[in-house]
């Protein structure tokens, strides 16, 4: 039997950009157009709708950053990225530069937060309160006010 999962101390709800809504609407239009085609079998528009829902809907429904006592979890679609606060080396606004390339792209918006965590893989997230998330991560990860590691000594 699986044990109870720890409850997050703080949750930041994810943000979706307007282009993501347009993409979802475009898929719905494509499915409607396919459904009106009399030469196609009925399963074609149904298959397109099911595949689109499996790809697009999870990012809209499962999109948040959960903060626990010792780590953060970025939940985006089917992915869950776990980063301990000890591994966070910086927290900055997401600007999309080459230096912010990451395999953990947990965002459907160009406005977000870039979390530097070289050991676990950097992450890009987008939440409703990006500034609040950055302040909280700076505090929990022991960074200075600019999002860089605090100087010791």
């Amino acid at each position: 039997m699986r044990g109870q999962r720890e409850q997050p101390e703080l949750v930041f709800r994810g943000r979706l950009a307007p282009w993501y809504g347009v993409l979802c609407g475009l898929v719905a239009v494509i499915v409607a157009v396919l459904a009106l085609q009399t030469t196609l079998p009925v399963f074609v528009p149904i298959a397109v709708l099911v595949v689109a829902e499996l790809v697009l809907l999870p990012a809209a429904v499962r999109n948040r950053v959960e903060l626990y006592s010792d780590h953060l979890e970025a939940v985006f679609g089917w992915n869950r990225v776990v980063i301990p606060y000890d591994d966070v080396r910086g927290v900055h606004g997401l600007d999309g530069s080459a230096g912010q390339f990451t395999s953990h792209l947990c965002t459907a918006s160009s406005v977000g937060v870039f979390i530097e965590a070289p050991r676990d893989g950097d992450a890009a997230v987008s939440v409703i309160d990006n500034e609040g998330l950055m302040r909280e991560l700076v505090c929990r990860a022991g960074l200075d006010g600019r999002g860089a590691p605090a100087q010791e000594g």
Side-chain angles (χ1 to χ4, degrees), residues 18-153:
W19 64 263
Y20 197 83
V22 170
L23 179 63
C24 292
L26 186 61
V27 168
V29 168
I30 290 170
V31 169
V33 167
L34 287 175
L36 295 174
Q37 301 296 319
T38 57
T39 58
L40 291 175
V42 71
F43 72 87
V44 172
I46 293 171
V48 171
L49 184 61
V50 168
V51 169
E53 221 170 284
L54 286 174
V55 172
L56 297 174
L57 188 61
V61 175
R62 294 176 42 96
N63 182 6
R64 65 186 176 277
V65 175
E66 301 172 346
L67 301 181
Y68 296 87
S69 60
D70 61 342
H71 69 280
L72 71 97
E73 294 185 15
V75 180
F76 187 74
W78 301 109
N79 298 324
R80 182 177 288 269
V81 178
V82 178
I83 301 175
Y85 297 130
D86 292 342
D87 294 347
V88 175
R89 296 293 168 249
V91 179
H92 311 284
L94 182 64
D95 60 20
S97 67
Q100 291 185 340
F101 177 76
T102 176
S103 60
H104 299 309
L105 187 60
C106 302
T107 181
S109 175
S110 59
V111 177
V113 177
F114 182 74
I115 303 167
E116 293 179 54
R119 287 186 60 206
D120 301 296
D122 302 332
V125 298
S126 181
V127 296
I128 292 173
D129 184 10
N130 286 325
E131 294 296 323
L133 175 61
M134 287 194 291
R135 281 192 305 273
E136 192 66 31
L137 288 177
V138 162
C139 179
R140 290 178 184 237
L143 305 173
D144 69 7
R146 297 182 317 270
Q151 299 296 323
E152 294 184 22

